Amino acid sequence: MKKIEEVEVVDIEETGKFLDLNFMIETNEWVSYEFKGAEIIIEGYGEQSLFRMFLYKETDEITVHSAYSQDYDVMEEVTWYFDIEKLHEDIEEFITKNGVEDISEIYKRYCELKEKGYSDEEACYEANIEVYNE
């Protein structure tokens, strides 16, 4: 008799839900929104509740990644934990009601500093100081 591997079935309603929007970043290639969501468990990373949704301009593709809180890098793709259409609607609704902080200039400077050899933490700190003090 062949053993059938057990598979955990997860209800999409119980996975990543949008809770709050932190900021947006826009580049030539994509627009990204960092948001807090209901915690999900990612194998190898543990519990995650900070995410970044990317909307790619050329392809209209949408992906979601787990995000770091200390800098602008992202980790694993977790798109399948979310109802993408609902997530996009929730973010748009939040922006309409509350607005969103656009940190594109900070992100651009962060990337420039990273290319010069700054660590993630140093680049993040310096980019914020430089842009906010302009």
Side-chain angles (χ1 to χ4, degrees), residues 51-93:
F51 306 99
R52 189 98 39 83
M53 180 177 79
F54 289 87
L55 300 139
Y56 295 92
K57 294 177 179 180
E58 191 171 304
T59 63
D60 291 330
E61 178 185 13
I62 298 174
T63 62
V64 179
H65 294 261
S66 174
Y68 290 104
S69 60
Q70 296 85 10
D71 59 40
Y72 304 115
D73 287 337
V74 293
M75 294 185 276
E76 295 294 308
E77 182 177 351
V78 293
T79 305
W80 47 87
Y81 284 96
F82 295 88
D83 176 337
I84 295 300
E85 287 180 27
K86 171 120 177 58
L87 175 61
H88 195 194
E89 289 170 8
D90 289 346
I91 288 174
E92 291 297 324
E93 182 179 326

Side-chain angles (χ1 to χ4, degrees), residues 1-96:
M1 178 183 252
K2 189 175 181 181
K3 183 179 177 182
I4 298 175
E5 186 178 320
E6 288 186 33
V7 177
E8 182 182 357
V9 177
V10 179
D11 182 355
I12 190 97
E13 295 300 318
E14 298 304 316
T15 60
K17 293 181 184 177
F18 173 81
L19 299 175
D20 193 22
L21 187 61
N22 291 341
F23 58 76
M24 71 166 284
I25 299 170
E26 184 166 0
T27 70
N28 293 333
E29 294 86 29
W30 46 258
V31 177
S32 178
Y33 299 97
E34 183 174 282
F35 67 95
K36 293 176 188 165
E39 281 189 349
I40 61 173
I41 298 175
I42 302 172
E43 188 175 329
Y45 291 94
E47 296 174 352
Q48 298 293 320
S49 61
L50 187 63
F51 306 99
R52 189 98 39 83
M53 180 177 79
F54 289 87
L55 300 139
Y56 295 92
K57 294 177 179 180
E58 191 171 304
T59 63
D60 291 330
E61 178 185 13
I62 298 174
T63 62
V64 179
H65 294 261
S66 174
Y68 290 104
S69 60
Q70 296 85 10
D71 59 40
Y72 304 115
D73 287 337
V74 293
M75 294 185 276
E76 295 294 308
E77 182 177 351
V78 293
T79 305
W80 47 87
Y81 284 96
F82 295 88
D83 176 337
I84 295 300
E85 287 180 27
K86 171 120 177 58
L87 175 61
H88 195 194
E89 289 170 8
D90 289 346
I91 288 174
E92 291 297 324
E93 182 179 326
F94 183 94
I95 292 169
T96 299

